[in-house]
Amino acid sequence: MVLTAPNSTLIYLPPPIPPHRHPQTSTTIRAQLKQQQRSNRAVASLSVSSSHVSLPPPPPTSLPQRLGALCAQGSLDEALHLLLVAEPAGLPPLADGVGLLLQACGARGDLELGRRVHGVVASSEGLMSNPVLTTRLLTMYFACGSPSDARRVFDALPRRNLFQWNAMISGYARNELFVEAVDTFLLLMSATELRPDNFTLPCVLKSCAGLSNMSTGEAVHGVAVKLGLGSDTFVNNSLISMYGKCGYVDEAAHVFDTMPERNLVSWNTMMSAFSDNALLQDGFDLFKEMLSVDEESMRPDDATAVTVLPMCAVDGWLEMGRVVHGMSVKLDLDHELRVSNALVDMYAKCSCLSDAQLLFGHNQQRNVVSWNAMIGGVARNGDVDGAFDLLREMQSEEGIKANEVTVLNVLPACLGPSELQHVKELHAYVIRNGLQTNDLVPNALMAAYAKCGLLDSADNIFKDVEIKTVSAWNALIGGYAQNGDPNKAIELFLRMSSSGLEPDWFSVGSLLLACAHLQDLLNGRSLHGYVLRNGLEKDSFILISLLSLYIQCGRSQEARLLFDAMEDKDSVSWNAMIAGYLQNGLAQESLQLFRQMQHEGYEPSIIATTSVFMACAELSALPLGQEAHCYALKVGFTADTFLGSSIIDMYAKCGSIEHARTLFDNLKDKDAVSWTVMITGYGINGYGSEAIDLYNEMEGHGLKPDAFTYLGILMACNHAGLVEEGLRYFEYMKNKHSLEPKLEHYACVADMLGRVGKLAEAARIIEDMPEEPDGRIWSGLLAACRTHGDICLGERVIEKLLELEPDKAEHYVLASNLYASSGRWDGVRRIRNRMKEIGLQKDPGFSWIDVGGRVFDFVSGDNRLPESDEIHRMWCSLEEKIRGIGYIPDTSSVLHEKGEEEKLKILRGHSEKQAISFGLLKTSGNKKIRVCKNIRICRDCHNAAKLVSKVVGREIIVRDNKRFHHFRDGWCSCGDFW
């Protein structure tokens, strides 16, 4: 209450003491005290033993002593009562007692009692004029979280000393009211002649750091120097912290380097500055330097441990983390709760969950931070069920309750529809405990629901958010952009912009992602312009999103220009560009960029190395794949299960199925992906029976096949002609494992039926598909019609195929071949004329072979190589030998209206024959000949390669656009079924 005195001075009166707590009259109290004394004497006489008397320590006699004892016991109401009824013993003892009680109220956060003590102080002019008491009164209000009460007390003081100003500034800083702290400091400087001291400035610098207000912080630094505090250790430590938190590490380091005297806090603060600014190596170097200082005062403490351990966690430096752990044990710091929590967090983030769990289990004083560290570690490692088990266990521990951090640790681990129930469980907990008031929680819930496919639920949460910040909009926009509805993401972005909110880097990045999913180059380029106009092009997230946009839209050259213009390329940008080339069919460019990455001194990541294996598989470049395998072994990447599967896939797609199987057998932890890759590898190499055996073995190990596994086994049955088995597995997929076949599965079954001449069944499968068949399915059926001479069905397929994809030259080539194989040359001419009219050209058939690390290309009928004559003579020699063991040229493979001699000449010039001849010329011994071809191998070349493998005694491996053919001793792995 504020009253106006006759002289117009404002007088602050604290709230009145409630009626039930008014002090009793002195007469009543004295009577009660005498009665109590008599009772105490009676009890004491009963406890006296005849043989031995144990006397308690004498009770405190002075008022401050008695009040101090009650405060230590937590009996604050009793202490206040004693203060009110005590007989006057002079002002100093009373002031000391009040001071003790104010400190106790602050320590316990008891605002109500603190206000009543304030009433006692305000009732005495002598107490109110005591600067120590009023300073403690200010401190108490700040400690109880009531800065407004503190300010009213401060404003009512007739005179203020530096201690009271310091109490205000430090109180504001502790309550994170940084603006008020700085304003109070400025008032101190401008309205008084008091000189700030080494307690004032650290509080102000802390507030500057909290506001990221570098300019004011520098001004305070100037004040410190001017006041002669530039060499004060406490002030310098605060300057290091302020500069570090504002991102000015060089300035922080300069203060540290020029300090005349450092203490342990100085070293810890400088390490923290390095850590906060991601300069981890500098932080580690400083830690090592500190350990070399041979002074007892420099002995690491718990603050050192909790500064260095998070650096180990971020950097994944387990070895250094173990060193710090050992140091903590040696110095007996590991029993400190915050050190124990930091150790659990470090081990969890370094993927050593067993160590984290061991420490967590031995911790007898766990708090919510301990639980959050452990739950977060389990969730980050993908064990959602384990995280929720811990969460439930946490709830059963007395005094521990999950908070916002707990929820935010668990939600990001919910990555798909299977986790929907977990998300709902967390959502219910959030509502029951009122945690949705923290903006981050509803945003995380929106993201989780989006990942689980429940975008409507994400929408509902967004609608319930009262104040829709940019972060809330971003959560919903990002959810739609990343989880299947990019058009809605664009609509939301426009709504956000029209609401008057300015999009930030995350908004733009999410919208770029939406445009990439839609392959919307026009809007994507408009956004690129917006990025340039608003200076967002330096943001790494935006740059990666732009790279993704151009890659998804098939604009590899534009993506490369953007990539080359990047000033600071990180592993993410290199990974994106390397994978982008591969995604757009530019495997050679992907490998070249990988070499450039190494040449420029960047350490390739597991992701980049995985892309290299995929590129080698695409090119069937076995020597390069073997080099990449050696690199992966050298840097220790092969322990990664996903990368191990990529290596197996590379060997299988390079035709080295034996190496693939050896690697598979040596894998320590085989998951469903590993088994699927090996089954598919057998399939594309024509080993159908081996693929089936491996599938059965996989099920025997208790692993459940997924849609990709079934695609691999269907492919294996298709290439091996195992039609009955293939149809049985197709039924297993639907009925045994409840998997819905996709377009790829139907295409495989239709192709399998078509290859054995069951064209009507293949057509029926295609017509009964739940999805609209694409060009690949119809082209497969058309190829089967040509093989089995079904012109009638073939013409119907041609009509559908050219209607569906009229701009693809390969469809016209298939149609032309159908007519040519049956001698319908009028049909051939009609198709070719149609191609000319729309400007389509047939891609020439070509083959390539890697000899000595260099790739040589061959085009059918092309004689431009210097060795062309030698190659021709080699083939003529081979043809003569294989004619002797039964080779008869199959001129029906030449689908041109030519004479027999001309057809024979064309056959001899086929690209795969040139490549095989070149390989035999340039290699010797038992080295395998490995040839790749861009289109399907023709029947004549297939028959010739079988016999050549027999006469030269070497294995010839040909990879066409469908599969591998392993030619050995006159036979092929496909069993002439391709």
Side-chain angles (χ1 to χ4, degrees):
M1 182 182 297
V2 179
L3 300 178
T4 305
N7 59 3
S8 298
T9 302
L10 290 177
I11 299 173
Y12 171 75
L13 295 179
I17 298 171
H20 66 280
R21 294 203 179 172
H22 275 302
Q24 298 165 296
T25 63
S26 58
T27 305
T28 307
I29 292 169
R30 287 194 185 96
Q32 288 179 347
L33 286 173
K34 287 178 181 177
Q35 178 62 39
Q36 184 64 48
Q37 288 169 356
R38 284 195 295 270
S39 299
N40 288 343
R41 283 196 294 271
V43 171
S45 66
L46 290 173
S47 62
V48 176
S49 167
S50 58
S51 59
H52 177 73
V53 177
S54 176
L55 296 174
T61 55
S62 70
L63 179 63
Q65 285 179 321
R66 292 161 68 192
L67 286 172
L70 290 170
C71 289
Q73 296 166 12
S75 306
L76 303 191
D77 281 310
E78 195 175 339
L80 177 59
H81 179 68
L82 176 61
L83 186 68
L84 293 171
V85 302
E87 294 185 6
L91 195 60
L94 185 60
D96 290 343
V98 171
L100 287 171
L101 192 49
L102 284 171
Q103 283 182 310
C105 290
R108 292 181 176 269
D110 194 336
L111 179 61
E112 182 190 353
L113 195 65
R115 282 175 171 160
R116 290 164 62 197
V117 178
H118 183 186
V120 173
V121 175
S123 66
S124 167
E125 185 178 344
L127 293 177
M128 275 305 291
S129 62
N130 186 318
V132 175
L133 266 189
T134 50
T135 302
R136 287 190 176 176
L137 192 56
L138 295 172
T139 305
M140 180 274 296
Y141 275 127
F142 277 117
C144 292
S146 184
S148 57
D149 279 331
R151 185 71 199 206
R152 282 192 288 270
V153 172
F154 180 77
D155 288 342
L157 291 174
R159 289 179 302 279
R160 303 169 191 135
N161 62 19
L162 185 59
F163 296 106
Q164 291 156 340
W165 283 96
N166 285 348
M168 289 300 295
I169 294 168
S170 66
Y172 279 135
R174 279 198 304 274
N175 282 270
E176 297 187 0
L177 297 169
F178 301 127
V179 172
E180 289 82 351
V182 172
D183 288 346
T184 305
F185 170 72
L186 295 175
L187 185 62
L188 165 68
M189 295 292 292
S190 62
T192 77
E193 295 183 0
L194 297 171
R195 290 165 58 91
D197 61 8
N198 62 354
F199 184 85
T200 318
L201 298 186
C203 298
V204 181
L205 289 167
K206 176 184 177 181
S207 300
C208 294
L211 296 168
S212 297
N213 189 339
M214 174 67 177
S215 58
T216 303
E218 285 181 312
V220 176
H221 190 174
V223 170
V225 173
K226 185 177 179 181
L227 295 174
L229 296 173
S231 59
D232 185 89
T233 303
F234 300 106
V235 173
N236 280 321
N237 290 345
S238 299
L239 282 167
I240 295 168
S241 178
M242 183 275 294
Y243 281 124
K245 285 183 166 59
C246 290
Y248 288 79
V249 186
D250 289 341
E251 285 77 1
H254 177 73
V255 173
F256 179 79
D257 292 338
T258 56
M259 287 176 71
E261 186 179 342
R262 300 180 192 134
N263 59 16
L264 183 58
V265 177
S266 314
W267 291 87
N268 289 343
T269 306
M270 191 65 237
M271 282 188 286
S272 182
F274 282 134
S275 176
D276 290 344
N277 290 277
L279 299 170
L280 303 180
Q281 191 57 55
D282 294 294
F284 288 130
D285 291 342
L286 191 66
F287 175 58
K288 293 172 189 173
E289 186 183 341
M290 186 192 88
L291 293 178
S292 68
V293 178
D294 189 19
E295 294 178 20
E296 182 61 27
S297 61
M298 290 298 107
R299 178 176 173 172
D301 63 359
D302 57 336
T304 313
V306 299
T307 300
V308 179
L309 284 169
M311 294 195 293
C312 301
V314 170
D315 206 34
W317 195 356
L318 180 61
E319 294 80 5
M320 179 59 82
R322 291 194 189 281
V323 168
V324 179
H325 188 179
M327 178 199 77
S328 301
V329 173
K330 183 178 178 181
L331 299 176
D332 200 30
L333 300 174
D334 57 321
H335 299 301
E336 293 284 342
L337 181 57
R338 64 177 185 156
V339 175
S340 176
N341 290 345
L343 282 166
V344 170
D345 185 62
M346 181 276 295
Y347 280 119
K349 286 177 179 172
C350 290
S351 300
C352 281
L353 275 182
S354 55
D355 289 339
Q357 287 164 336
L358 188 65
L359 284 169
F360 179 76
H362 287 164
N363 189 349
Q364 298 301 312
Q365 48 178 350
R366 294 186 297 227
N367 61 6
V368 69
V369 177
S370 319
W371 283 94
N372 286 345
M374 194 66 246
I375 291 170
V378 172
R380 274 190 301 276
N381 280 272
D383 184 3
V384 184
D385 290 334
F388 272 85
D389 288 343
L390 274 172
L391 186 57
R392 295 183 189 100
E393 188 182 339
M394 174 188 184
Q395 296 304 97
S396 65
E397 188 154 316
E398 188 178 352
I400 303 292
K401 195 172 183 181
N403 60 12
E404 294 93 332
V405 177
T406 322
V407 174
L408 294 171
N409 273 339
V410 179
L411 278 174
C414 301
L415 299 174
S418 60
E419 313 301 341
L420 180 58
Q421 196 54 45
H422 286 322
V423 175
K424 288 181 175 179
E425 188 178 338
L426 270 180
H427 191 181
Y429 179 86
V430 165
I431 293 170
R432 284 197 307 272
N433 293 276
L435 301 180
Q436 69 270 33
T437 53
N438 183 318
D439 286 349
L440 295 175
V441 173
N443 294 351
L445 280 167
M446 282 188 266
Y449 274 122
K451 287 173 186 173
C452 293
L454 245 67
L455 290 165
D456 287 344
S457 294
D459 252 336
N460 291 334
I461 293 173
F462 180 74
K463 288 171 186 172
D464 289 339
V465 174
E466 289 185 19
I467 301 173
K468 293 175 172 58
T469 61
V470 173
S471 297
W473 281 99
N474 284 347
L476 195 60
I477 291 169
Y480 276 105
Q482 296 171 37
N483 298 284
D485 197 347
N487 283 313
K488 179 74 171 180
I490 293 173
E491 178 197 323
L492 286 167
F493 179 86
L494 296 174
R495 278 173 53 195
M496 182 184 80
S497 300
S498 64
S499 72
L501 289 172
E502 280 291 321
D504 62 7
W505 59 271
F506 190 89
S507 320
V508 175
S510 296
L511 200 60
L512 283 168
L513 184 62
C515 291
H517 283 318
L518 293 169
Q519 297 184 339
D520 185 351
L521 188 60
L522 183 63
N523 277 321
R525 280 180 169 155
S526 297
L527 275 171
H528 193 172
Y530 177 89
V531 165
L532 295 172
R533 289 192 302 275
N534 289 274
L536 297 173
E537 69 276 8
K538 300 293 183 185
D539 185 271
S540 59
F541 178 74
I542 296 289
L543 284 172
I544 296 300
S545 300
L546 281 167
L547 266 184
S548 177
L549 166 75
Y550 287 119
I551 287 165
Q552 293 287 343
C553 293
R555 301 286 180 153
S556 297
Q557 287 184 333
E558 291 173 62
R560 183 58 188 266
L561 286 171
L562 187 66
F563 175 79
D564 288 339
M566 287 184 181
E567 293 179 7
D568 299 314
K569 298 181 181 72
D570 59 10
S571 63
V572 178
S573 53
W574 283 100
N575 293 343
M577 195 66 236
I578 290 168
Y581 271 138
L582 191 62
Q583 184 180 327
N584 284 290
L586 300 169
Q588 196 66 52
E589 287 81 354
S590 181
L591 291 174
Q592 288 170 358
L593 190 61
F594 182 81
R595 292 193 190 96
Q596 182 183 331
M597 180 185 189
Q598 291 178 298
H599 180 71
E600 292 186 15
Y602 290 92
E603 285 293 325
S605 64
I606 285 182
I607 297 172
T609 310
T610 302
S611 295
V612 167
F613 285 118
M614 294 168 71
C616 292
E618 185 76 23
L619 295 169
S620 204
L622 182 61
L624 289 174
Q626 289 170 325
E627 285 181 34
H629 189 184
C630 290
Y631 172 79
L633 285 167
K634 182 180 176 182
V635 296
F637 285 169
T638 51
D640 183 85
T641 307
F642 185 76
L643 186 110
S645 298
S646 298
I647 299 173
I648 294 169
D649 185 59
M650 180 274 295
Y651 278 113
K653 287 179 179 173
C654 288
S656 188
I657 196 67
E658 299 87 356
H659 279 97
R661 183 57 195 256
T662 301
L663 281 167
F664 173 78
D665 289 339
N666 289 333
L667 277 182
K668 290 181 180 178
D669 299 311
K670 298 183 183 75
D671 58 8
V673 175
S674 314
W675 289 87
T676 298
V677 165
M678 194 64 236
I679 289 169
T680 305
Y682 274 133
I684 60 175
N685 281 275
Y687 297 104
S689 297
E690 288 82 351
I692 289 173
D693 290 343
L694 198 63
Y695 171 90
N696 293 332
E697 193 179 335
M698 174 185 178
E699 285 206 307
H701 279 80
L703 288 168
K704 185 180 177 181
D706 60 13
F708 294 103
T709 315
Y710 273 109
L711 187 59
I713 198 71
L714 288 172
M715 189 186 302
C717 294
N718 182 14
H719 289 320
L722 303 172
V723 179
E724 289 184 12
E725 291 85 346
L727 292 174
R728 185 170 68 248
Y729 285 118
F730 188 60
E731 290 304 313
Y732 279 176
M733 177 184 183
K734 293 185 290 184
N735 301 324
K736 184 177 178 181
H737 289 113
S738 303
L739 294 170
E740 193 64 37
K742 299 190 181 302
L743 214 58
E744 296 83 0
H745 301 96
Y746 282 103
C748 213
V749 172
D751 191 51
M752 179 170 57
L753 291 168
R755 284 172 187 265
V756 296
K758 297 184 176 183
L759 301 178
E761 290 181 44
R764 190 161 52 251
I765 282 280
I766 294 171
E767 288 167 1
D768 292 344
M769 282 171 53
E771 296 181 62
E772 190 66 29
D774 63 4
R776 289 174 304 163
I777 293 180
W778 289 118
S779 64
L781 184 57
L782 183 55
C785 290
R786 178 219 155 183
T787 301
H788 298 284
D790 192 333
I791 298 293
C792 182
L793 178 59
E795 286 186 320
R796 295 207 309 271
V797 174
I798 288 171
E799 186 179 335
K800 290 187 177 181
L801 188 57
L802 298 186
E803 180 185 344
L804 188 65
E805 296 177 341
D807 299 326
K808 287 198 171 182
E810 57 263 36
H811 298 336
Y812 294 89
V813 172
L814 270 175
S816 173
N817 291 347
L818 172 70
Y819 288 123
S821 63
S822 58
R824 295 268 299 272
W825 300 110
D826 55 332
V828 172
R829 283 189 287 273
R830 188 173 69 253
I831 292 292
R832 289 180 179 170
N833 287 335
R834 190 170 169 184
M835 285 181 72
K836 286 179 183 177
E837 288 172 6
I838 57 179
L840 293 177
Q841 284 189 333
K842 174 189 174 184
D843 291 330
F846 65 90
S847 302
W848 65 94
I849 186 171
D850 187 323
V851 176
R854 185 179 166 195
V855 177
F856 296 85
D857 295 325
F858 301 89
V859 179
S860 295
D862 187 13
N863 297 309
R864 286 179 295 178
L865 277 177
E867 299 92 343
S868 290
D869 290 340
E870 196 177 357
I871 291 168
H872 179 70
R873 287 194 297 272
M874 169 60 98
W875 180 254
C876 289
S877 170
L878 289 170
E879 186 179 318
E880 186 178 345
K881 290 177 182 178
I882 62 177
R883 278 180 184 269
I885 57 171
Y887 171 64
I888 300 171
D890 185 355
T891 55
S892 68
S893 297
V894 180
L895 302 175
H896 298 279
E897 201 173 359
K898 306 282 185 182
E900 284 298 305
E901 282 302 317
E902 203 166 352
K903 286 183 177 182
L904 284 172
K905 186 179 178 182
I906 292 171
L907 283 177
R908 291 188 183 107
H910 275 192
S911 64
E912 53 264 63
K913 287 176 180 154
Q914 293 183 57
I916 291 170
S917 301
F918 183 81
L920 291 169
L921 278 170
K922 298 297 180 181
T923 61
S924 58
N926 294 322
K927 190 173 179 65
K928 295 176 182 178
I929 306 297
R930 298 177 183 276
V931 174
C932 295
K933 186 174 174 63
N934 69 324
I935 58 175
R936 191 179 179 192
I937 188 172
C938 75
R939 186 181 291 108
D940 179 73
C941 289
H942 187 271
N943 293 336
K946 283 196 300 183
L947 297 173
V948 168
S949 71
K950 185 171 185 176
V951 298
V952 299
R954 291 168 72 175
E955 184 176 350
I956 299 169
I957 301 170
V958 176
R959 173 186 171 180
D960 64 14
N961 67 336
K962 295 289 184 182
R963 57 170 298 154
F964 277 93
H965 299 268
H966 295 258
F967 300 104
R968 296 189 194 93
D969 197 29
W971 67 277
C972 179
S973 59
C974 73
D976 295 339
F977 185 84
W978 85 103

